[in-house]
């Protein structure tokens, strides 16, 4: 997931775009546990303060992460369990286990738990899950995470249940069994089964746009009201059974999302914690300017929670363009970049921005190996960069590299810091400011008419698969893909295919780590930092914690003090 889509990840439809859309945060875990110190109990109303004006509740349209908003009302076959001291893990949700794979990794079978019901009383059977997935293929309900659409056999040509009948690669031999036939082996299918489209939908429901504001729920809550641009209110689903749910505590009686809130005002309200604001949290990151002030307020310490790290911020080098087609030139960039200057430009200081990055797989992902192929001081090694340029045939440096940058947020400041650092080594760039839509069209389009650009990425699910393929697979060049370096190496594509087809997570992890190092040998990107995210909550919100991955609070675990 490109970091500009973080609002979608939180279940919010407005998109903050640009490579720097995420705001940085303060020292990781300096507020140990944050709201976890508050003793919580069942009851009360939890308030979510959002600066956006709309919300997708239809699972087919959602790009929401499995620990945020939409999961309060929708369950799936699997779910995520997060922890501060280790990688996120996949756990059963509606299913009795995380899936049983065939020997070739192409067929996955799930058995549903007993006695499951939706909010309207509909029994949750394999038919409701099959229909919900099929419905996500219809163009009228598009926009959600769509990994399954290319993985399921026949998926690319399927038009959904209203135009194409049933999808043969999803079988329901009985009400408690669902079987998926994939086009190729895929070891991460249990993570795919945790995505929004795998939520059950009663057959015949969800045939028009109104389902996006009042879907039939399977989680602890159901939609009571949806006031566009103003507020969404969730109340208890009487058919939810906590004993069957490993991912959700369902502690509050109700959850209210207040939309259209000013982020600066939200921070002040939460710190004051007057009235209902004591039972609220902000869904947006605390911006660096406010964060600097908050850190000096001892009373705010237990209301600010910060991720250890987050998305990978990087400099993408177009491997198809001029001098950048030479690997040795690209390796020179690893030494020319001043990562400390980037940290300061991103958030004012190194500790606010996040730790320096050297790998492609982000922290909190199983199988990640720490290494540094290009060891250099944090502010770079200009002499080494010049040496590599000379060896590549550019003793006088390189001129006029096209450097498009989004005008959103402070991307221009970060790009200027990169530009100044590169110039020390004789790499001269021309910044090209673009509005965010134009920038996105350029870097994800088919032409690739640029030399370098800033990017950032946080995976859609807790697997190195979601780090590596979207940014470095040949299939992700152009056509809306985020392989911004236009990197295409058959050996790496083969490694990706092998790792994806490996069912054993430990074995797959070793392959992903191998791919990480193999890609970095070619230097298609310069890893810059792992960005940190900070969130504020009211004084009476507890169980407010950010795991090792993803860099968001787990909405499903929160509770309130009386």
């Amino acid at each position: 997931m490109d970091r500009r889509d973080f609002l979608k990840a939180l279940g919010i439809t407005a998109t903050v775009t640009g490579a720097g859309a995420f705001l940085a945060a303060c020292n990781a875990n300096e507020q140990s546990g944050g709201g976890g110190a508050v003793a919580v109990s069942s009851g009360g109303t939890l308030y979510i303060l959002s600066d956006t004006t709309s919300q997708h509740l239809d699972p087919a349209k959602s790009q929401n992460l499995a620990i945020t908003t939409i999961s309060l009302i929708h369950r799936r076959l699997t779910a995520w369990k997060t922890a501060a001291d280790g990688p996120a893990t996949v756990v059963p949700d509606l299913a009795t286990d995380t899936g049983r794979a065939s020997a070739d990794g192409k067929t996955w079978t799930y058995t549903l738990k007993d006695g499951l019901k939706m909010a309207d009383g509909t029994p949750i059977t394999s038919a409701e899950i099959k229909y919900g997935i099929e419905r996500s293929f219809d163009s009228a309900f598009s926009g959600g995470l769509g990994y399954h659409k290319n993985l399921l056999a026949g998926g690319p040509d399927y038009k959904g249940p209203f135009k194409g009948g049933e999808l043969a690669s999803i079988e329901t031999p009985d009400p408690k069994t669902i079987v998926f036939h994939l086009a190729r082996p895929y070891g991460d299918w249990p993570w795919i089964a945790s995505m929004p489209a795998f939520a059950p939908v009663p057959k015949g429901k969800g045939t028009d746009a109104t389902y996006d504001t009042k879907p039939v729920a399977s989680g602890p809550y159901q939609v009571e009201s949806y006031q566009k641009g103003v507020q969404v209110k969730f109340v208890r689903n009487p058919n939810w059974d906590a004993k069957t749910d490993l991912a959700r505590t369902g502690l509050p009686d109700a959850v209210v999302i207040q939309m259209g809130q000013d982020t600066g005002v939200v921070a002040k309200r939460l710190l004051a914690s007057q009235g209902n604001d004591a039972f609220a949290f902000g869904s947006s990151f605390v911006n660096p300017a406010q964060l600097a002030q908050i850190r000096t307020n001892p009373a705010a310490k237990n209301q600010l929670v910060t991720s250890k790290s987050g998305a990978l911020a990087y400099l993408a080098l177009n491997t198809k363009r001029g001098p950048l087609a030479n690997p040795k030139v690209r390796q020179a960039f690893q030494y020319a970049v001043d990562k400390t200057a980037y940290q300061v430009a991103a958030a004012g200081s190194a500790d606010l921005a996040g730790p320096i990055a050297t790998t492609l797989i982000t922290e909190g992902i199983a199988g990640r190996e720490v290494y540094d192929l290009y060891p250099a001081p944090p502010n770079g090694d200009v002499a080494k960069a010049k040496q590599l340029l000379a060896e590549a045939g550019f003793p006088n440096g390189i001129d006029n590299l096209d450097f498009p940058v989004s005008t959103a947020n402070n991307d221009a400041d970060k790009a200027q810091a990169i530009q100044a650092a590169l110039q020390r080594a004789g790499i001269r760039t021309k910044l090209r400011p673009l509005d965010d839509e134009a920038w996105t069209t350029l870097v994800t389009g088919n032409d690739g008419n640029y030399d370098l650009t800033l990017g950032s990425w946080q995976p859609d699910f807790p697997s190195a698969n979601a780090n590596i393929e979207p940014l470095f697979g040949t299939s992700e060049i152009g056509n809306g893909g985020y392989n911004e370096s236009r990197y295409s190496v058959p050996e790496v594509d083969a490694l990706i295919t092998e790792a994806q087809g490996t069912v054993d997570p430990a074995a797959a992890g070793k392959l992903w780590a191998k791919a990480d190092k193999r890609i970095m040998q070619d230097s298609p990107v310069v890893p810059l930092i792992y960005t940190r995210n900070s969130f504020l909550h009211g004084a009476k919100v507890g169980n407010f914690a950010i795991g090792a991955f993803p860099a968001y609070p787990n909405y499903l675990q929160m509770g309130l003090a009386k």
Side-chain angles (χ1 to χ4, degrees):
M1 174 183 66
D2 184 85
R3 289 179 75 228
R4 71 184 62 87
D5 288 330
F6 80 95
L7 289 173
K8 293 180 181 179
L10 299 177
I12 301 167
T13 57
T15 305
V16 172
T17 55
F22 274 12
L23 301 175
C26 65
N27 284 335
N29 300 323
E30 71 175 11
Q31 301 79 18
S32 178
V38 177
V40 300
S41 59
S42 180
T45 298
L46 174 68
Y47 294 85
I48 303 174
L49 308 182
S50 166
D51 63 344
T52 59
T53 57
S54 58
Q55 184 102 27
H56 277 317
L57 302 180
D58 183 339
K61 294 184 175 183
S62 175
Q63 295 189 21
N64 192 198
L65 290 174
I67 62 166
T68 54
T69 310
I70 203 171
S71 294
L72 294 168
I73 58 172
H74 294 301
R75 297 178 68 177
R76 278 83 96 179
L77 288 171
T78 62
W80 301 3
K81 188 172 183 179
T82 60
D85 57 353
T89 56
V90 63
V91 295
D93 193 1
L94 295 173
T96 57
D97 57 29
T98 58
R100 303 179 297 282
S102 59
D104 63 2
K106 293 174 65 175
T107 302
W108 288 83
T109 302
Y110 292 84
T111 301
L112 300 184
K113 295 171 182 173
D114 293 326
L116 301 170
K117 289 184 180 180
M118 302 193 73
D120 66 352
T122 302
I124 299 176
T125 71
S126 54
E128 282 69 43
I129 295 172
K130 174 180 168 70
Y131 173 69
I133 298 168
E134 290 175 338
R135 187 176 159 275
S136 71
F137 284 83
D138 191 288
S139 58
F141 308 108
S142 63
L145 293 174
Y147 290 86
H148 60 286
K149 295 179 182 180
N150 287 320
L151 289 171
L152 285 164
D157 299 319
Y158 182 58
K159 304 301 181 185
F162 312 116
K163 301 171 185 175
E166 295 189 4
L167 181 59
S169 55
I170 306 177
E171 293 182 343
T172 53
D174 60 63
K176 289 187 61 178
T177 305
I178 187 165
V179 183
F180 300 98
H181 298 279
L182 310 185
R184 57 188 174 92
Y186 199 79
D188 276 334
W189 187 255
W191 291 115
I192 304 301
S194 72
M195 293 184 176
F198 286 72
V201 177
K203 202 155 189 178
K205 299 281 187 180
T207 57
D208 56 52
T210 62
Y211 202 75
D212 201 26
T213 58
K214 200 161 187 179
V216 182
S218 52
Y221 305 98
Q222 59 184 324
V223 182
E224 181 182 78
S225 60
Y226 190 121
Q227 297 170 267
K228 187 175 181 180
V230 179
Q231 177 174 290
V232 181
K233 184 175 183 180
F234 299 157
V235 294
R236 288 199 183 278
N237 168 10
N239 289 324
W240 174 71
D241 184 355
K243 294 191 297 292
T244 69
D245 199 328
L246 298 176
R248 304 162 186 83
T249 59
L251 290 174
D253 286 332
V255 179
V256 172
I257 304 168
Q258 296 181 353
M259 296 184 282
Q261 306 297 307
D262 180 274
T263 53
V265 174
V266 163
K268 294 176 182 177
R269 286 171 54 186
L270 292 172
L271 289 174
S273 285
Q274 298 297 308
N276 289 337
D277 290 342
F279 304 98
F281 73 92
S283 63
S284 297
F285 307 140
V286 181
N287 69 57
Q290 286 185 311
L291 195 57
Q293 297 176 355
I294 293 168
R295 295 174 80 198
T296 64
N297 179 0
K301 182 175 182 180
N302 289 329
Q303 291 175 241
L304 185 69
V305 180
T306 301
S307 65
K308 180 181 179 182
S309 69
L312 170 70
Y314 57 89
L315 177 67
L317 309 174
N318 190 336
T319 59
K320 305 300 181 188
R321 293 267 290 192
L324 295 179
N326 186 325
K328 189 159 283 191
V329 169
R330 299 196 301 269
Q331 290 168 1
F333 278 75
Q334 302 288 348
Y335 296 96
V337 165
D338 183 342
K339 296 184 182 181
T340 301
Y342 180 87
Q343 290 173 313
V344 172
S349 67
D351 66 324
L352 287 169
I356 285 173
T358 60
T359 71
L360 305 174
I361 298 173
T362 48
E363 295 185 338
I365 298 291
R368 176 177 182 264
E369 294 182 8
V370 179
Y371 68 93
D372 187 358
L373 292 185
Y374 307 100
N379 63 347
D381 184 338
V382 175
K384 180 70 172 179
K386 288 182 175 180
Q387 175 193 332
L388 287 167
L389 289 174
E391 291 175 1
F394 298 93
N396 299 317
I398 300 171
D399 289 315
N400 298 319
L401 292 181
D402 180 37
F403 191 172
V405 58
S406 169
T407 54
N409 300 297
N410 66 335
D411 285 11
D413 294 337
K414 290 181 280 189
Q416 287 170 6
I418 294 292
Q419 181 185 48
L422 295 177
Q423 190 162 337
R424 300 176 307 171
I427 301 170
R428 292 165 284 275
T429 64
K430 296 176 67 174
L431 294 182
R432 179 161 49 122
L434 296 171
D435 69 64
D436 208 66
E437 184 176 350
W439 178 87
T440 303
T441 299
L442 174 67
V443 300
T444 66
N446 294 331
D447 294 335
N449 293 325
Y450 59 91
D451 291 312
L452 64 159
T453 194
L454 290 175
S456 55
W457 191 262
Q458 178 158 282
D460 284 320
F461 54 98
S463 168
N465 182 358
N467 284 106
I468 300 297
E469 184 189 32
L471 297 184
F472 304 105
T474 298
S475 62
E476 305 306 308
I477 298 174
N479 299 311
Y482 282 95
N483 185 339
E484 296 159 8
S485 57
R486 311 273 156 168
Y487 179 75
S488 179
V489 174
E491 180 187 347
V492 171
D493 287 336
L495 262 175
I496 289 171
T497 299
E498 183 183 1
Q500 287 180 337
T502 301
V503 174
D504 177 66
K510 293 185 185 309
L511 290 169
W512 289 121
K514 182 179 179 180
D516 189 330
K517 292 178 183 176
R518 175 63 185 84
I519 293 165
M520 282 302 298
Q521 288 174 14
D522 292 331
S523 187
V525 302
V526 179
L528 297 170
I529 63 173
Y530 304 114
T531 59
R532 287 179 176 147
N533 308 325
S534 279
F535 297 84
L536 274 172
H537 63 82
K540 293 189 176 182
V541 177
N543 294 349
F544 193 102
I546 301 175
F549 179 92
Y552 304 93
N554 190 330
Y555 291 22
L556 313 186
Q557 297 291 315
M558 294 181 199
L560 305 170
K562 289 187 177 180

